[in-house]
Amino acid sequence: MKSRLVHTEDLSPEDKEAMYSLLSTYFEGVKRDVFETDLSQKNWVILLKNEKTDRLQGFSTLLMYNTEFEGEKLSVVYSGDTIMDPSGWSSSALSRCWITSVNQLRRDYAQGRLYWLLISGGYRTYRFLPIFWREFYPRYDAVTPACVSSLIEFLAGDRFGEYYDTKAGVVRFPHPHVLRDCLRGIPQERLQDPHIRFFEECNPGHLQGAELVCLTEICEENLTSAGKRMWFANSPMKQQQQFSAEWGIEKNTPQAKPAILF
């Protein structure tokens, strides 16, 4: 499987159509106008395609932005629509490309500490947190520190407004994407995993499309062993690739932005 990070402005009509089709295949309630609006609010997309057929097998949209909280400048990566065809579940391509891409964006754009703002509507997504990150919240084995709770409330309130339920810690969109029956629900045996059991307890409305708001800091020190393998998966040459100066997040330039291949 081949993967690349591409600026949303440079997505081809064929890529957009394939993204919408893939999302609609596995989620109910996907409206074209909502999909287009959401995509327009992101600035990067990770695309994963079959090497032989060039067919889209997965994607993840990202919004990288800078903000300020309690006098500190910080940066945020917010994950939007993300889907992987079940045929690619055994591949680490999405995880590897996601971590490598975000590490590249961190080096080029971050003003300070970089956080991953993740909304999780399914246990598979939430399970990425303990696999790759040492410290993240909310979690079953630790109370969320007050300073982290404040940051989560600030970021979620700013990003989701009235759709964010502060008390429950979840987002309920007016047009939620709900997994189709083939992917919906949590197998009973998976509930033996304390992380997955915690996710179900914290987000009982996930079957109706409710999204649990999660946060972790993106830095090398916060990586698990598995995360470090992904972080350093690429060759030094690729790790040192630099984006062009005109790629700044806060600029709007007419120049095309070439995809970054991984």
Side-chain angles (χ1 to χ4, degrees):
M1 192 179 302
K2 58 183 180 180
S3 57
R4 61 178 180 147
L5 174 69
V6 61
H7 200 282
T8 51
E9 293 177 0
D10 300 320
L11 286 169
S12 69
E14 292 76 17
D15 282 334
K16 291 182 181 179
E17 185 61 36
M19 290 167 64
Y20 176 74
S21 176
L22 186 62
L23 200 64
S24 300
T25 298
Y26 296 108
F27 284 94
E28 296 177 356
V30 180
K31 297 181 179 295
R32 187 59 181 255
D33 59 333
V34 175
F35 168 78
E36 293 284 357
T37 299
D38 181 80
L39 184 60
S40 71
Q41 295 170 350
K42 304 300 186 296
N43 43 24
W44 298 98
V45 180
I46 293 171
L47 299 176
L48 298 105
K49 296 184 178 183
N50 183 289
E51 288 187 295
K52 295 182 178 180
T53 66
D54 204 41
R55 183 177 68 86
L56 185 71
Q57 290 189 285
F59 72 89
S60 181
T61 64
L62 303 173
L63 173 64
M64 174 81 179
Y65 66 98
N66 299 314
T67 187
E68 186 172 317
F69 177 69
E70 295 184 347
E72 178 186 359
K73 290 184 178 181
L74 51 86
S75 299
V76 179
V77 168
Y78 163 52
S79 289
D81 289 333
T82 300
I83 186 65
M84 189 73 178
D85 187 276
S87 65
W89 285 358
S90 61
S91 170
S92 64
L94 177 58
S95 301
R96 183 175 62 253
C97 187
W98 193 96
I99 289 180
T100 305
S101 298
V102 170
N103 189 22
Q104 180 71 63
L105 295 174
R106 178 185 65 89
R107 289 195 299 264
D108 291 338
Y109 294 137
Q111 292 186 343
R113 289 189 289 177
L114 176 62
Y115 290 90
W116 182 19
L117 178 63
L118 169 70
I119 55 172
S120 178
Y123 75 92
R124 297 177 186 86
T125 303
Y126 180 79
R127 198 63 183 81
F128 275 108
L129 291 169
I131 291 176
F132 298 114
W133 307 101
R134 295 173 58 194
E135 186 174 305
F136 59 91
Y137 297 98
R139 58 189 300 159
Y140 83 93
D141 55 354
V143 176
T144 303
C147 58
V148 177
S149 292
S150 296
L151 180 55
I152 289 175
E153 290 184 13
F154 167 73
L155 295 176
D158 178 63
R159 180 58 44 195
F160 311 116
E162 62 180 318
Y163 305 130
Y164 174 55
D165 183 334
T166 304
K167 185 176 180 180
V170 301
V171 179
R172 300 184 182 91
F173 292 116
H175 301 291
H177 292 171
V178 178
L179 284 167
R180 295 191 181 276
D181 290 341
C182 59
L183 298 178
R184 191 181 304 172
I186 303 175
Q188 191 63 34
E189 63 272 15
R190 297 308 303 274
L191 291 174
Q192 297 178 16
D193 183 322
H195 293 290
I196 296 176
R197 188 164 60 249
F198 175 80
F199 168 79
E200 185 183 52
E201 293 170 354
C202 284
N203 188 14
H206 66 93
L207 291 177
Q208 290 76 46
E211 309 262 5
L212 180 66
V213 180
C214 308
L215 191 73
T216 188
E217 184 175 358
I218 298 175
C219 61
E220 184 179 339
E221 296 75 18
N222 196 30
L223 291 165
T224 63
S225 296
K228 289 180 179 179
R229 286 195 294 272
M230 296 296 179
W231 187 274
F232 298 110
N234 283 356
S235 67
M237 180 182 298
K238 289 185 178 179
Q239 286 286 356
Q240 293 171 6
Q241 284 179 324
Q242 294 297 314
F243 287 176
S244 168
E246 72 266 20
W247 288 26
I249 294 174
E250 298 173 355
K251 296 180 182 179
N252 290 314
T253 59
Q255 292 91 343
K257 304 171 182 65
I260 301 302
L261 303 178
F262 297 102

